[in-house]
Amino acid sequence: MRKKIVAANWKMNLTLTQGEQLVNALLDSGIQLDTHKEVVIAAPFPYLIAVKELLKGHPGFYVAAQNVASEKAGAFTGEVNAEMLHSIHTDYVIIGHSERRELFGESNAVIAKKVDLSLAHGLKPIFCCGEPLEVRKAETQNAYVAKQLEESLFHLPAEQLQHVVIAYEPIWAIGTGLTASAAQAQDMHAFIRGQVAARYGAGPADHLSILYGGSVKAANAREIFAGADVDGGLVGGASLVAKEFAEIVKAI
Ligand code: PGA
């Protein structure tokens, strides 16, 4: 059975104290995780150790970094590499978020390097893909996402792909209050799974968790997660409020 995952992407929000309060409130919110369900908290780098510590003894709860360097090590002031993240027991890393692509100029090639280095150091990538509004309007979103997969992920051998989670995040739905409809999300997720099946075969495709991201909230989570190929969500704004995020987790 493939994993159902709800991941919180705090982005550049919260102080350490606020983050700790949020995690504690979440742990007190009565979330029950079956063995195939996971909650992932993508906290800012300086909080990863503290959040990991708070999650100790809570099976099914994991930490993620929101980014990782595309270089191995050395003179790259301000960067954090995969080996460092692994050394503090980070479980996942978000790679290729549209904010990284758009605001920090990350190309498919750079993202591919981040994927490789993360896997080499035992981090599980949450690989983000998704189209901007003009692409959706032109109805060329499938080709757009296929290219992202092709250029950043499909060089991996099957035994590495099994450690990857994909997050489909249409850019026009991120932080905008606009959500893809449940049908739009399911269609794209089925397309992505089909692409993976064509490249790796039905087994690896069936095993892959594909999350939806873009204005997920308690009020729409159940409907979106009902899609047969929607295995959970990557949640930004709504992950900053414990009660709201807990409701989303309960919807998987
Ligand atoms: P949002 O962000 O839930 O605030 O739209 C999602 C994301 O960027 O991962």
Side-chain angles (χ1 to χ4, degrees):
M1 194 174 212
R2 65 178 173 253
K3 275 187 265 178
K4 302 265 186 195
I5 301 170
V6 176
N9 180 7
W10 290 358
K11 307 191 180 183
M12 196 171 72
N13 292 296
L14 308 174
T15 63
L16 175 59
T17 305
Q18 289 168 337
E20 287 175 334
Q21 285 168 350
L22 179 54
V23 171
N24 284 327
L26 201 59
L27 293 174
D28 285 342
S29 64
I31 292 170
Q32 300 286 337
L33 296 174
D34 313 342
T35 48
H36 69 290
K37 292 184 183 168
E38 293 186 1
V39 171
V40 177
I41 311 278
F45 288 135
Y47 309 163
L48 288 171
I49 293 175
V51 171
K52 181 81 189 176
E53 190 62 30
L54 289 176
L55 297 179
K56 233 184 220 168
H58 296 276
F61 285 81
Y62 296 92
V63 289
Q66 297 174 14
N67 185 26
V68 62
S70 59
E71 299 296 332
K72 228 174 152 170
F76 298 98
T77 301
E79 290 292 282
V80 174
N81 71 23
E83 188 177 19
M84 293 169 185
L85 292 173
H86 181 66
S87 77
I88 59 166
H89 312 291
T90 306
D91 305 290
Y92 286 92
V93 56
I94 297 175
I95 299 180
H97 190 280
S98 63
E99 287 151 18
R100 302 293 321 169
R101 294 174 186 265
E102 294 204 315
L103 304 173
F104 300 94
E106 291 188 11
S107 64
N108 288 345
V110 162
I111 291 164
K113 283 167 75 179
K114 294 184 175 201
V115 167
D116 291 346
L117 285 167
S118 296
L119 288 166
H121 289 96
L123 299 170
K124 290 183 261 188
I126 299 174
F127 173 82
C128 299
C129 56
E131 79 286 355
L133 186 58
E134 61 273 18
V135 169
R136 172 62 65 165
K137 278 186 176 156
E139 296 179 12
T140 53
Q141 66 273 8
N142 287 8
Y144 188 93
V145 169
K147 186 169 154 71
Q148 290 178 321
L149 297 172
E150 190 60 47
E151 294 185 359
S152 301
L153 218 48
F154 283 1
H155 62 285
L156 294 175
E159 64 271 20
Q160 290 200 330
L161 187 87
Q162 63 173 325
H163 303 298
V164 174
V165 171
I166 291 181
Y168 168 59
E169 299 205 307
I171 298 173
W172 44 274
I174 295 177
T176 57
L178 288 175
T179 328
S181 68
Q184 284 172 323
Q186 166 55 26
D187 282 355
M188 179 57 86
H189 284 225
F191 173 75
I192 291 170
R193 202 178 302 286
Q195 294 294 108
V196 174
R199 166 70 179 83
Y200 294 96
D206 191 49
H207 173 271
L208 177 78
S209 298
I210 307 176
L211 316 184
Y212 169 80
S215 300
V216 175
K217 36 188 186 282
N220 60 24
R222 241 165 251 283
E223 192 188 347
I224 294 170
F225 296 167
D229 290 290
V230 181
D231 306 309
L234 178 55
V235 186
S239 75
L240 300 173
V241 182
K243 205 165 165 276
E244 179 82 9
F245 186 67
E247 286 307 310
I248 296 170
V249 172
K250 289 173 191 171
I252 52 165

